[in-house]
């Protein structure tokens, strides 16, 4: 995958609501295999699609890209040796502010400058109900650029949302129980019910009697929105949207599989799919590599070592003691 094909897949991932990072080679010094303008997509799980460089650059870019996705902040990487950048007229004697220098020591004299930017999914909000407040909330969310759906209560089902969605039930007495039960089944990242505490207790009690597990009912926030006191229906819509914006800004709605429990402002739980992959340091060149069969594993005295390339593994095999001692000192 290369060129425009990478951008086409990026558009597809955006439409599907998945977070990813886009890495672009903006400068190179030969003989690096990465070319200026080369692009790659890195998903939150660490999968790379495209091409930005060889075995030395790839694990570093994947690691940095996952951090970019988590933090939501772009970064510019310089990959090479300190000597290369000190002697490069483009950079002068020091690495400029705002850049992240990552030394790589593979047996190549190439260097790369790679820009990594996060592409975060557009928030998806489903407002269930037909009241004036529901219409106002949907209009406000649309004005923020969110993907917004206004769905009448009887027409709503779990298929209308997914685990990345935010759902606000504003049926206000017209089938609240059915709408909340449908929303719970989809396990959205946020689920709120417009109503008083008394009404909420009645709805959740009814669902508990129907056998809905307590841990799922605990995810329903009621009353929903920031407490602004006595307010109009338009101000209630503002209060709900303000709470959603606050939770997103705090990171509480930061990923699929995260859920916001009632009464909390932080995410509770996460998917196993976003766990950090195992990594190791090549004892010969110091590169960070994946600790899996792709990294030329070699067992020595009961310890498994991993290498960025076959050449580093051969160097280790010639004199393991030299590199084991080096690793111990580090």
């Amino acid at each position: 995958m290369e060129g425009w094909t990478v951008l086409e897949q990026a558009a597809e991932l955006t439409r599907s609501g998945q977070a990813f990072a886009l890495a672009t080679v903006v400068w190179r010094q030969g003989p690096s295999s990465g070319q200026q303008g080369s692009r790659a997509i890195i998903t939150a799980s660490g999968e790379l699609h495209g091409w930005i460089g060889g075995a030395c650059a790839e694990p570093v870019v994947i690691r940095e890209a996952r951090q970019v996705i988590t933090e939501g902040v772009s970064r510019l990487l310089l990959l090479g040796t300190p000597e290369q950048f000190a002697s490069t007229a483009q950079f002068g004697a020091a690495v400029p502010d705002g850049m992240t220098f990552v030394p790589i020591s593979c047996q190549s004299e190439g260097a790369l400058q790679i820009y990594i930017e996060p592409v975060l999914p557009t928030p998806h909000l489903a407002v269930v109900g037909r009241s004036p407040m529901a219409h106002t909330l949907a209009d406000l969310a649309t004005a923020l650029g969110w993907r917004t759906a206004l769905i009448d209560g009887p027409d709503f089902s779990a298929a209308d949302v997914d685990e990345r969605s935010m759902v606000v039930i504003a049926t206000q007495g017209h089938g609240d129980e059915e709408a909340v039960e449908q929303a719970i089944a989809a396990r959205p990242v946020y689920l709120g019910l417009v109503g008083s505490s008394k009404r909420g207790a009645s709805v959740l009690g009814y669902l508990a009697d129907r056998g809905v597990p307590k841990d799922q009912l605990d995810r329903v926030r009621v009353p929903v929105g920031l407490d602004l006191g006595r307010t109009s229906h338009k101000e209630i819509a503002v209060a709900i949207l303000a709470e959603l914006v606050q939770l997103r800004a705090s990171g509480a709605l930061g990923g699929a599989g995260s859920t916001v429990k009632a009464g909390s402002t932080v995410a509770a739980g996460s998917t196993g799919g976003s766990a950090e992959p195992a990594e190791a340091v090549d004892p010969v060149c110091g590169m960070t590599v994946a600790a899996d069969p792709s990294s030329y594993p070699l067992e020595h005295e009961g310890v498994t070592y991993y290498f960025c390339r076959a050449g580093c593994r051969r160097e280790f095999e010639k004199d393991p003691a030299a590199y084991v001692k080096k690793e111990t000192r580090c």
Side-chain angles (χ1 to χ4, degrees):
M1 180 184 298
E2 58 183 357
W4 292 107
T5 307
V6 173
L7 297 183
E8 289 171 0
Q9 183 173 8
E12 182 62 31
L13 289 173
T14 300
R15 285 191 292 270
S16 67
Q18 296 185 52
F20 62 95
L22 180 63
T24 304
V25 177
V26 295
W27 173 87
R28 72 179 289 272
Q29 175 178 295
S32 172
S33 58
Q35 300 297 317
Q36 190 165 326
S38 295
R39 297 187 179 95
I41 291 168
I42 300 93
T43 67
S45 62
E47 297 178 2
L48 185 144
H49 305 277
W51 181 260
I52 39 76
C56 289
E58 188 173 293
V60 173
V61 171
I62 291 175
R63 182 190 67 214
E64 297 292 327
R66 297 188 75 194
Q67 293 180 2
V68 164
I69 295 171
T70 300
E71 298 170 4
V73 180
S74 302
R75 64 182 59 178
L76 188 60
L77 302 183
L78 299 179
L79 307 182
T81 66
E83 294 77 13
Q84 284 173 311
F85 291 116
S87 61
T88 300
Q90 180 181 353
F91 299 111
V95 175
D97 292 339
M99 296 186 183
T100 301
F101 172 64
V102 181
I104 57 176
S105 306
C106 285
Q107 297 170 4
S108 168
E109 297 177 355
L112 293 170
Q113 185 179 18
I114 300 176
Y115 181 65
I116 305 177
E117 55 189 311
V119 183
L120 305 179
T122 302
H124 176 230
L125 173 65
V127 183
V128 183
R130 60 175 184 268
S131 68
M133 193 285 301
H135 282 271
T136 301
L137 176 58
D139 289 343
L140 290 173
T142 300
L144 289 182
W146 293 8
R147 292 187 298 123
T148 308
L150 181 62
I151 308 171
D152 199 1
D155 299 329
F156 174 69
S157 73
D160 293 314
V161 295
D162 59 30
E163 61 182 4
R164 292 181 291 268
S165 302
M166 298 172 287
V167 180
V168 174
I169 306 297
T171 41
Q172 295 179 285
H174 300 282
D176 293 352
E177 294 83 359
E178 292 79 6
V180 171
E181 187 170 19
Q182 285 292 320
I184 284 177
R187 294 185 174 275
V189 70
Y190 175 98
L191 174 55
L193 172 64
V194 177
S196 65
S197 298
K198 182 177 180 180
R199 176 59 184 161
S202 174
V203 170
L204 298 182
Y206 170 82
L207 293 176
D209 291 341
R210 284 176 54 86
V212 178
K214 182 178 183 302
D215 66 314
Q216 297 185 32
L217 295 175
D218 286 344
R219 298 170 52 236
V220 182
R221 297 173 70 92
V222 57
V224 64
L226 300 181
D227 185 2
L228 302 181
R230 294 179 61 86
T231 54
S232 67
H233 78 267
K234 292 183 178 179
E235 292 168 334
I236 292 173
V238 171
I240 295 172
L241 188 62
E243 180 180 65
L244 294 175
V245 171
Q246 181 186 65
L247 289 170
R248 290 191 70 248
S250 70
L253 305 182
S258 300
T259 57
V260 179
K261 287 188 176 181
S264 69
T265 57
V266 296
S270 60
T271 60
S274 61
E276 291 291 330
E279 295 180 339
V281 175
D282 184 326
V284 175
C285 69
M287 278 296 301
T288 299
V289 298
D292 62 29
S294 69
S295 297
Y296 309 95
L298 173 67
E299 185 173 332
H300 174 70
E301 295 184 349
V303 177
T304 302
Y305 296 89
Y306 298 88
F307 306 88
C308 72
R309 58 196 296 271
C312 284
R313 174 175 164 149
R314 286 195 296 269
E315 289 296 318
F316 183 89
E317 289 178 307
K318 291 177 184 177
D319 187 8
Y323 297 107
V324 170
K325 291 178 180 177
K326 176 182 175 182
E327 187 178 64
T328 302
R329 288 196 300 270
C330 293

